[in-house]
Amino acid sequence: MSNPLLSDWATPFEIAPFDLIDDAHFAPAFDEALQMARQDVREIAEQPEKPSFANTIEALEASGDRLDKVLSVFFTVAGADSNAERQKLQREFGPKLAAYSSEVTGNKSLFQRVQSLWEARDTLDLTDEEARLLMLTHRRFVRAGAALEGQAEARMREIMSRLAELGTQFSQNLLADEAEWFMELDEQALENLPDFLVDAARSAGREKGVEAPVITLSRSLVVPFLQFSERRDLRERAFRAWEARGAMGGETDNRAITAEILRLRQERAQLLGYESFAAYKLETEMAKTPERVRDLLMQVWEPACAQAEKDAAILTEMMQADGINGELRPWDWRYYAEKRRLAEHDLDEAALKPYLTLDNMIAAAFGVANRLFGLEFQPLDIALYHPDCRAWEVTRNGRHVAVFIGDYFARASKRSGAWCSAMRGQAKQPKVQGPVVINVCNFAKGEPALLGYDDARTLFHEFGHALHHLLSDVNYESISGTSVARDFVELPSQLYEHWLEVPEVLETYARHYRTGEAMPRELLDKMLKAANFDQGFQTVEYVASAMVDLAFHEGDAPDDPMTKQRETLEKMGMPSAITMRHATPHFAHVFSGDGYSSGYYSYMWSEVMDADAFAAFEAGPFDEDAAKSLETHILSRGGSEDPEALYTAFRGRLPGVEALLKGRGLAA
């Protein structure tokens, strides 16, 4: 019987035939596809013809296509619908993929072909995009250690293999902690909780197989519980479990893993001639150096910390008025901040949710994309990897653009957070292909599913990433879509969040799930006026995480990362009632892989740009000229040009931090 992962997919838009694929197909398909990829590389490296852009760089671009197809399916389901078998396969595949990557970049014959093209680049008559791809390919080889010899080369392979193992184990440990813990609520604990939270807790209880409503460690459940529960003892219990993810002891404890990862990263950087991993990692980003990152973060930290301290004093007074003496604690902040928002802005989060249904917010994201870029979305009836998933064909002027998949609900088999990925990127070479893009979120289920304002922002954020893929218009898949510098990749996503703040968008799509009535203008105005509420808290918890990430990678690897975390926060003057957004043992951005290591700052770097970029729509939020310029210079270009050049082409200059501080309400 043929393996569907190795067959041509005679499905609509060549989507993976998820209904024909089961877990038993992955290992044999992976092994065969990996051998095919190795053969592709051997043929490129050993060919007798003189190196050319076509027979080396473009050939590398086309190599391993079968392996890419297998992995696109596997990693999609492994992240969003995990099980024991898929976790086992992840642990097996990780080191094998690391070894394969090292084989490619360590192939001396292949590197010599790339090197000879790089040295002759000025004579090759390349287009700008071809020259960019050659530079990126050469840089990838060099930064992977292609120029290393002997013992150093062998050690680099060992390091990369071990890092792959550790990153997978970190993720699986975190998933296990999040899936295992839950807290049952009795009827007394349900008193005065908003209906949407009670409904979500009952739904979570059914998923866990218990009769009682439960609070899990899904952000979409635990954060509203911390906002609305009057039971301080239960808030503390839930918060401590949420904060302890990855540090609960036993087999799923991530603390030793983080220490080993940091040691290996430092050794990797030193083998390549860098003084620190941060120096190595930031070299290819817009920030370039750790010093520039710290400068940005500290410009934001000081006003944010001052605002947070003022807010803490107010919340402490509110707590003491409730008869609770002592210091404001992390499990108190969200509860009293919510009460303060109600008192100062007359805005109750629970009053917003009936107007922010998931379906309406999806329609809002699509509607904005239609007005800005002419994209249209039609539902597709195709087999997907989970019943919660939905798919749409994306068209423009009647022509197919892409397939978009949404997987929105939290479940125990899905890792936490929200993300965007492409099962297939846009390309024109070696063949024309439209992207297949997935947004994954962790919203609480309900009938219907109701979102908080932060949830709605998350949906718009991830769809902004999706637009970067959908509107990509380059030749080569490896530089399409979000294949850009880490501190540039968040620009489109954070920029798109601004359209959720446009009154006419909310007037159109924020409608009560029972009556269909639009959100009252008074409530809408209150929501928008409160958009910057509690920004001191939100900025402090984020910047603290970014500074700890930088501290981990800037000098010698710490023997005890938890001690380093504590020392860094103490030196910064971290407010006692606020914790890092992501404590070290569950800092998946940094330890599940290299993606955001030394790079968690990038959300704020991108925010400096997105605050300035939205100002380009000075003629109105749906200004056609500004939208066309945004697509032309940023969304369509992927990584085909240097990001500073792309942004400067869009805005005429690079921005300063002032727009960010003003946007967060932190400007003096």
Side-chain angles (χ1 to χ4, degrees), residues 129-199:
E129 186 175 329
E130 289 169 345
R132 176 76 173 172
L133 181 60
L134 172 59
M135 184 278 289
L136 292 172
T137 302
H138 178 260
R139 189 174 74 181
R140 174 169 65 89
F141 272 76
V142 172
R143 286 172 59 82
L148 296 177
E149 301 283 352
Q151 187 175 353
E153 180 184 12
R155 180 56 183 157
M156 180 64 80
R157 293 192 183 202
E158 292 174 358
I159 288 172
M160 298 309 294
S161 178
R162 181 60 177 159
L163 283 172
E165 292 177 4
L166 293 170
T168 298
Q169 190 61 57
F170 183 98
S171 299
Q172 294 186 357
N173 288 348
L174 181 55
L175 179 63
D177 280 0
E178 292 173 343
E180 181 177 342
W181 189 92
F182 62 89
M183 179 176 68
E184 294 187 26
L185 303 179
D186 58 23
E187 291 303 315
Q188 183 183 13
L190 295 176
E191 290 181 2
N192 298 320
L193 293 182
D195 290 344
F196 80 85
L197 181 53
V198 174
D199 291 344

Side-chain angles (χ1 to χ4, degrees), residues 554-587:
E554 192 174 8
D556 291 339
D559 293 330
D560 181 1
M562 299 306 294
T563 298
K564 183 68 172 181
Q565 172 186 299
R566 184 180 67 252
E567 291 173 349
T568 302
L569 297 178
E570 288 175 354
K571 184 177 180 180
M572 293 172 61
M574 183 75 170
S576 60
I578 305 178
T579 61
M580 293 168 62
R581 182 172 299 179
H582 305 289
T584 298
H586 56 258
F587 207 163

Side-chain angles (χ1 to χ4, degrees), residues 520-589:
R521 183 70 197 211
E522 181 183 11
L523 181 58
L524 188 153
D525 289 342
K526 289 176 182 177
M527 181 176 72
L528 295 178
K529 287 178 181 178
N532 280 330
F533 179 76
D534 215 22
Q535 277 296 325
F537 169 87
Q538 294 181 38
T539 307
V540 162
E541 64 165 5
Y542 165 79
V543 174
S545 293
M547 286 293 287
V548 168
D549 168 39
L550 187 65
F552 279 156
H553 296 98
E554 192 174 8
D556 291 339
D559 293 330
D560 181 1
M562 299 306 294
T563 298
K564 183 68 172 181
Q565 172 186 299
R566 184 180 67 252
E567 291 173 349
T568 302
L569 297 178
E570 288 175 354
K571 184 177 180 180
M572 293 172 61
M574 183 75 170
S576 60
I578 305 178
T579 61
M580 293 168 62
R581 182 172 299 179
H582 305 289
T584 298
H586 56 258
F587 207 163
H589 284 78

Side-chain angles (χ1 to χ4, degrees), residues 290-511:
E291 291 75 22
R292 290 186 71 188
V293 172
R294 180 179 293 100
D295 180 60
L296 167 69
L297 293 174
M298 292 310 296
Q299 285 186 66
V300 178
W301 171 259
E302 293 176 5
C305 198
Q307 183 61 54
E309 294 286 8
K310 293 178 183 177
D311 293 339
I314 295 171
L315 301 184
T316 300
E317 289 181 4
M318 295 173 65
M319 183 180 74
Q320 292 175 349
D322 281 349
I324 301 173
N325 295 319
E327 294 183 0
L328 185 76
R329 304 296 293 160
W331 47 88
D332 298 316
W333 190 294
R334 288 175 175 84
Y335 176 71
Y336 285 101
E338 185 62 30
K339 292 182 71 172
R340 181 186 176 194
R341 177 162 59 175
L342 180 59
E344 294 185 1
H345 295 278
D346 192 22
L347 181 65
D348 182 357
E349 173 86 1
L352 296 176
K353 287 209 170 198
Y355 295 94
L356 302 177
T357 65
L358 173 61
D359 284 350
N360 282 358
M361 291 302 99
I362 293 171
F366 290 175
V368 170
N370 176 260
R371 291 189 64 181
L372 288 172
F373 309 113
L375 299 178
E376 298 182 337
F377 301 80
Q378 293 297 324
L380 284 174
D381 183 14
I382 57 176
L384 298 168
Y385 61 87
H386 192 279
D388 286 345
C389 295
R390 303 156 67 179
W392 294 264
E393 182 190 6
V394 186
T395 60
R396 179 152 65 174
N397 298 324
R399 298 182 62 182
H400 176 78
V401 172
V403 172
F404 175 71
I405 299 170
D407 180 3
Y408 295 108
F409 296 124
R411 52 181 175 266
S413 62
K414 182 189 290 185
R415 64 180 171 90
S416 61
W419 64 92
C420 174
S421 61
M423 292 189 67
R424 182 175 70 224
Q426 176 269 329
K428 299 174 185 176
Q429 297 284 350
K431 66 176 182 178
V432 175
Q433 60 186 38
V436 177
V437 186
I438 303 180
N439 276 180
V440 183
C441 299
N442 270 282
F443 303 139
K445 270 190 175 181
E447 297 295 336
L450 304 178
L451 306 186
Y453 190 62
D454 284 345
D455 291 333
R457 286 176 69 96
T458 295
L459 188 148
F460 266 65
H461 179 101
E462 298 307 331
F463 192 72
H465 281 309
L467 283 173
H468 209 169
H469 287 289
L470 301 181
L471 295 173
S472 181
D473 185 22
V474 299
N475 285 313
Y476 303 104
E477 185 174 5
S478 67
I479 54 174
S480 72
T482 60
S483 299
V484 299
R486 183 62 60 178
D487 49 8
F488 192 66
V489 76
E490 298 297 336
L491 169 61
S493 55
Q494 292 178 185
L495 175 60
Y496 204 64
E497 293 179 32
H498 287 276
W499 274 272
L500 185 61
E501 303 167 356
V502 174
E504 64 184 285
V505 173
L506 292 168
E507 289 168 355
T508 302
Y509 295 101
R511 294 186 171 272

Side-chain angles (χ1 to χ4, degrees), residues 49 54 71 74 80 83 100 118 142 146 150 200 255 280 287 302 308 348 395 439 442 458 503 517 536 575 601 631:
E49 291 83 2
L71 294 177
F74 176 73
N83 59 32
Y100 167 66
W118 175 246
V142 172
R255 285 172 287 190
Y280 161 76
E302 293 176 5
D348 182 357
T395 60
N439 276 180
N442 270 282
T458 295
E517 294 179 354
Y601 76 91
E631 179 181 352

